[in-house]
Amino acid sequence: ASNNRSRRSRSQRGETASLQSKMASDRWPFAPPKSDKAEVLGLVRENGMLLEKASGELKKDREVVLEAIGQNGLALIYADAAYRSDREVVLAAVTKNGYALYLGDDAIKADREIVLRAIEGDGNCLQFADERYRKDRRVVLDAVTKNGVALLYADESLKDDHEVCLAACAENGFALCYASDRIRSERDVVLAACAQNGKALQFADPQLRAERDVVWTAVVENVTSLLWADRRLRADGHFVLAAVAQSDSGDGMWYADDALKRDRNFVWAAMAQKADAFVFADASFRRDPDFVLAAVSGNGLLLKYADDRLKYHKAILDAALSQNPDAFQYLPDELKREPRLRVLAGLPPREEEDESSKQEDEGKDKDAKTTTEEEEEQGGGPPYEPDDDDNEEGKDIAPPPPQRGEDDFDDDDDEATRAPNDLGKQP
């Protein structure tokens, strides 16, 4: 018992020493504050936020604070509270990081020079400025020029200002959603927004979403914007075909009117431009051999979307594998063993029997041979084999299986890729 208590005592002392070591480490959250000025200056020069580790006295030291915010303006958060109203310190902080304006007191947020310096870094810092600057046209114009979304923090009167909104939308198309209804119906503002970000079309006035040049400007920037176009444009075959050609993978077809997706001529024309448009067409085309063949000829991986029955179609399989050998993964399992298809896919032909099967058969032959030898040693003799004299009347002996001649074979019988009965003809 005495030995156990001694071991526990030593263990506890070791744990206490380890804890003290951790507390002395910079990584330990409860490490004692650092009071060595030279050490703290070295830390904040590398990372201003390490001002947090300084002692209360050093957080009041002007040299230490200026050194910290010179590396990271947000280090002002760890400085003594008195510095939040110090114009020189806050100006240095917002020069490094505009968001440090948030840490200044009300008098600082009303200082025009400091506000403009903060906005110069990021227009969104307008949100921390005094209310009067949100109504200041010059300040707001500077802010939206830096970051169009800063229009959100502008006064309502400036959200209806043509010049301010145009500058905001030219910098960030999504700023259109913060503009007034009147501005959203102005053609030049909407065009500027859609040219910067096509998805801004969703915030435009409905009448402008029906105009071809406005919608086309948005589609050129981002084909997804076709989703917010007027339905008449999404039902316009020529317009949607142009959008399909503009898209990288034919996904412009996705936003077409449903009637167009069922139109054979339109789908065929879309696939002629982008084979991947097949994916977004009506599902009925996945059962059509002509369309599936055209699709896999342009992109073999589209075999994935073909009807299961067409995955046995020889011409379709050949076209898919020739265009992209990776289409092999979409073949039915029973066809993946076919040597001809494996060769098309660039894979080595598969043997009729793998090595394990051969070894298994050899083991069975060896066992059968051993059994026969044992029977002969026991005097049983070899198994009975009837000869011609034993074929007496009244005895039934099964006739040998009929032998097929070479002429009896159909050259196409061994073709594993034969299509089902209803798909016997190739397109």
Side-chain angles (χ1 to χ4, degrees):
S2 176
N3 291 336
N4 288 338
R5 285 195 297 271
S6 177
R7 283 195 293 270
R8 283 198 298 270
S9 177
R10 287 196 298 270
S11 176
Q12 290 171 355
R13 287 198 299 271
E15 291 176 359
T16 301
S18 176
L19 180 60
Q20 290 174 346
S21 175
K22 286 183 177 179
M23 290 180 66
S25 170
D26 289 341
R27 293 170 301 195
W28 183 254
F30 305 111
K34 296 184 180 297
S35 56
D36 187 314
K37 183 175 179 178
E39 181 185 3
V40 172
L41 282 172
L43 290 174
V44 299
R45 285 192 184 104
E46 295 181 4
N47 184 349
M49 300 303 281
L50 291 179
L51 180 62
E52 177 188 14
K53 298 182 179 295
S55 64
E57 288 299 319
L58 290 179
K59 288 180 180 179
K60 296 178 181 179
D61 188 294
R62 193 175 192 85
E63 181 185 1
V64 173
V65 172
L66 286 174
E67 197 71 46
I69 64 177
Q71 199 282 327
N72 188 331
L74 295 180
L76 181 61
I77 194 173
Y78 298 119
D80 188 77
Y83 286 112
R84 299 193 179 195
S85 59
D86 188 307
R87 189 176 186 280
E88 179 190 0
V89 172
V90 177
L91 185 60
V94 299
T95 300
K96 195 67 179 179
N97 189 323
Y99 283 89
L101 180 62
Y102 170 73
L103 302 170
D105 65 8
D106 291 344
I108 291 293
K109 293 177 180 178
D111 188 302
R112 187 181 185 86
E113 182 184 358
I114 292 178
V115 170
L116 288 174
R117 187 70 62 84
I119 288 173
E120 190 176 319
D122 189 332
N124 267 340
C125 294
L126 178 65
Q127 62 186 299
F128 307 122
D130 187 78
E131 189 68 28
R132 59 180 158 173
Y133 291 115
R134 301 189 185 192
K135 300 177 182 178
D136 188 310
R137 191 171 185 275
R138 184 69 259 168
V139 172
V140 172
L141 194 57
D142 286 349
V144 299
T145 302
K146 293 291 183 181
N147 189 331
V149 178
L151 184 63
L152 168 65
Y153 309 108
D155 185 76
E156 292 299 320
S157 62
L158 293 177
K159 292 180 181 180
D160 193 51
D161 185 292
H162 181 273
E163 183 183 358
V164 171
C165 291
L166 182 61
C169 292
E171 199 285 325
N172 189 325
F174 269 104
L176 185 63
C177 70
Y178 305 120
S180 67
D181 291 341
R182 183 184 71 83
I183 295 294
R184 294 187 195 187
S185 63
E186 293 192 359
R187 186 187 189 83
D188 58 340
V189 176
V190 173
L191 281 172
C194 291
Q196 198 283 324
N197 189 327
K199 292 183 179 180
L201 181 66
Q202 61 187 297
F203 307 117
D205 185 85
Q207 291 185 351
L208 291 177
R209 283 188 272 154
E211 293 194 13
R212 299 177 73 91
D213 58 339
V214 173
V215 175
W216 183 249
T217 299
V219 167
V220 169
E221 201 287 320
N222 191 325
V223 71
T224 306
S225 59
L226 187 59
L227 173 65
W228 297 288
D230 186 83
R231 187 176 181 277
R232 288 170 294 180
L233 284 179
R234 290 189 287 114
D236 185 319
H238 295 291
F239 191 85
V240 177
L241 278 178
V244 170
Q246 181 69 27
S247 60
D248 292 332
S249 57
D251 51 346
M253 181 81 165
W254 175 264
Y255 309 105
D257 187 76
D258 289 341
L260 285 180
K261 294 180 182 180
R262 295 190 295 268
D263 187 294
R264 291 180 65 88
N265 293 332
F266 173 78
V267 173
W268 191 266
M271 288 174 58
Q273 294 183 349
K274 301 282 184 179
D276 290 352
F278 172 76
V279 177
F280 308 105
D282 188 76
S284 61
F285 293 106
R286 302 185 181 192
R287 300 187 294 271
D288 189 308
D290 292 337
F291 281 85
V292 174
L293 181 60
V296 299
S297 297
N299 183 352
L301 296 180
L302 294 178
L303 182 64
K304 173 182 179 180
Y305 302 99
D307 185 82
D308 288 343
R309 295 175 300 170
L310 292 181
K311 292 180 180 179
Y312 291 86
H313 197 291
K314 181 178 182 297
I316 290 175
L317 294 181
D318 289 353
L321 293 174
S322 298
Q323 200 284 326
N324 191 333
D326 288 341
F328 185 82
Q329 61 186 303
Y330 302 119
L331 266 62
D333 290 340
E334 58 268 28
L335 296 187
K336 292 181 178 180
R337 296 189 294 269
E338 291 304 313
R340 187 181 69 82
L341 297 179
R342 293 179 68 84
V343 170
L344 276 176
L347 300 173
R350 185 171 179 174
E351 298 294 335
E352 294 182 0
E353 293 180 351
D354 56 22
E355 191 65 27
S356 60
S357 299
K358 290 181 179 180
Q359 292 177 358
E360 183 179 349
D361 292 343
E362 290 175 359
K364 290 180 179 179
D365 294 341
K366 185 176 181 180
D367 292 341
K369 183 177 181 180
T370 302
T371 303
T372 302
E373 291 175 352
E374 291 176 353
E375 291 177 351
E376 291 178 353
E377 290 177 358
Q378 295 174 1
Y384 172 71
E385 297 181 1
D387 43 338
D388 295 339
D389 295 337
D390 293 328
N391 190 11
E392 300 175 358
E393 186 177 354
K395 291 185 178 181
D396 295 329
I397 296 179
Q403 300 294 323
R404 296 177 66 181
E406 295 183 357
D407 295 338
D408 295 329
F409 286 93
D410 186 351
D411 291 340
D412 295 332
D413 284 349
D414 61 343
E415 185 179 349
T417 58
R418 176 177 293 279
N421 293 336
D422 57 339
L423 296 169
K425 294 183 178 181
Q426 300 175 8

